[in-house]
Amino acid sequence: MEKILYKLESFEGPLDLLLTLIQKNKGSIWDIPIVEITEQYLDAIEGIEGSGLDDTSEFLVMAANLLWIKSRMLLPKNNDDDEEEEDPREDLARRLAEYKAYKDASEELRKTEGATKDMVFRGEEHISFPVPEYSRHHEVDELIDAFNSILARRERNAKPEKRAFSGIVGREKVSVYDMSLKIKSRFKRGRKVDFKTLFEADDSKPVMIATFLALLEMIKDNVVSVEYDYAREDFVLTDTGKEVGASASDNDDTE
């Protein structure tokens, strides 16, 4: 048999050398031709003691393991034993299969590295999108129509109130300024508020009117802006961040 010469420095370890020998013999990891592979492995590591390799002991340990497996394979089988004997090559085959999987993966990564090493990737870019401006102009009449719709629906469904006897107990006075502060406080939970939600189920007519007048003052003073949401069929109020002024004073009461 022709002697095979290898430079052990070119192998990453004994498993790498063993895998190369199996592939050269066109053998299978799971059916290692142990006699031929053992002889070729011993020829490859001949004189390794004086080579100065750091992993010399690992190559020698593998050589001893191959000789042990070879001796087990050459021993006659005991036919009297009903239990099937474990193949002495099985543990080595598992180690080789695992090593081959890692080696193949590293080769794929190396190919990827070679394909992308000359690429320059652009850094992350933050794109700011301008907030679209609501361009439609609403007349005050539209808000008045919306308010009258809410007021009419409320009156149709309302129960008789104690305020119906105002001639006896006196009329209720509601501050427009107080309603402005109440509307402003609604924006603490978010920057947008639906127009319909400004009116509570048990609000009296003076409270509703004062609330509506307060809203008109706030729109005029640019405390809130208004736009129409066609999906919800309601006006949407947005807090501009401006504080309520003194234009709606405590003297502006409604009855």
Side-chain angles (χ1 to χ4, degrees), residues 31-47:
D31 188 18
I32 303 173
I34 196 68
V35 175
E36 294 84 354
I37 293 299
T38 301
E39 292 180 1
Q40 292 176 14
Y41 184 89
L42 293 175
D43 288 340
I45 68 168
E46 184 178 351

Side-chain angles (χ1 to χ4, degrees), residues 113-133:
E113 178 187 12
T116 59
K117 66 178 181 179
D118 295 327
M119 292 185 181
V120 178
F121 295 93
R122 185 175 182 177
E124 182 179 358
E125 182 177 355
H126 297 279
I127 302 176
S128 57
F129 295 94
V131 179
E133 296 183 359

